[in-house]
Every structure is written in structure tokens, then in C-alpha cells.
Amino acid sequence: MPERLNVSVAVHRLGGTGVLAVAGELDLGTVPAVRIRLGEVFARGTTAVVADFDGVTFCSAAGLHLIDELHRRSAACPASFGVVAGKPVTGLFELLELPTGIRVYPTLTAALAPER
């Protein structure tokens, strides 16, 4: 019997913003399932990318590599990039230095608000 993945992934667009919403565990076993959906985030006309990881319950180094990959792909687009992060992800961010240009938001609403 195949192992069930402990992650769910949804992709949607709000204007020029591609949103990748992930819930569950981000680890070596689940990141490939998330990576499959990345092309949808970077559809034509994307001016911003938000990784909504508020529903992530566990994040390993593989999840952090995914965030770095999203950041690099956004810069190549070019598109702005931000992460909505709950405690499992922000806990790792506190331990590790984030690459320049990654903005962390407390909610998806905050991430989507126009910058002032």
C-alpha cells in the first residue's frame, strides 16, 4: 500500500499574484509533491509570489530549500516574494538567517496588501 503524504497543496492567483498554499508537513518526503505545482505559481503575468505556509505543522531543511527555490525563481521572473509563516516555519527562520529579499508576513491578507 502506498504511503499517504501528510501535505496538501493548492495554487491560486489573485490578480498578478501567484499563491502557493501548503498545509501539513514539509519534509524530504513531501516537498516533491509541492514542487510539482510550482509551474502553476509562475504562470504568465505573475508579478508577485506568496508562499502561504501558515498551515504547515512541521518544516525540515527540505522545506527551507523549497522556500529558497521559490525565492530564486521569483527573482528570475522577476516577481516579488513573500512567505506567510506560522510557528513551525518562523521557528526555523529565527535559527537561520533568511536570504535577502524574503518578506515574512503573519497572514495572507497582510501579504496581499498593497505596500505603502
Side-chain angles (χ1 to χ4, degrees):
M1 174 181 266
E3 185 178 331
R4 184 176 168 167
L5 293 179
N6 294 324
V7 69
S8 66
V9 183
V11 175
H12 55 278
R13 292 182 57 80
L14 299 167
T17 302
V19 178
L20 174 72
V22 179
E25 299 175 3
L26 265 179
D27 58 27
L28 193 58
T30 60
V31 164
V34 177
R35 190 172 279 122
I36 289 171
R37 305 288 304 272
L38 294 187
E40 298 171 48
V41 176
F42 295 96
R44 174 170 284 169
T46 296
T47 57
V49 172
V50 174
D52 184 357
F53 291 169
D54 190 43
V56 171
T57 57
F58 173 80
C59 185
S60 74
L64 292 178
H65 286 289
L66 177 70
I67 292 169
D68 185 54
E69 179 179 345
L70 283 163
H71 179 239
R72 285 184 283 114
R73 287 184 69 173
S74 295
C77 218
S80 64
F81 178 68
V83 177
V84 178
K87 189 62 178 164
V89 176
T90 57
L92 284 175
F93 287 172
E94 291 168 3
L95 293 173
L96 305 170
E97 187 175 323
L98 286 175
T100 303
I102 295 181
R103 293 189 176 106
V104 180
Y105 299 95
T107 65
L108 182 59
T109 301
L112 296 173
E115 299 213 10
R116 299 180 204 273

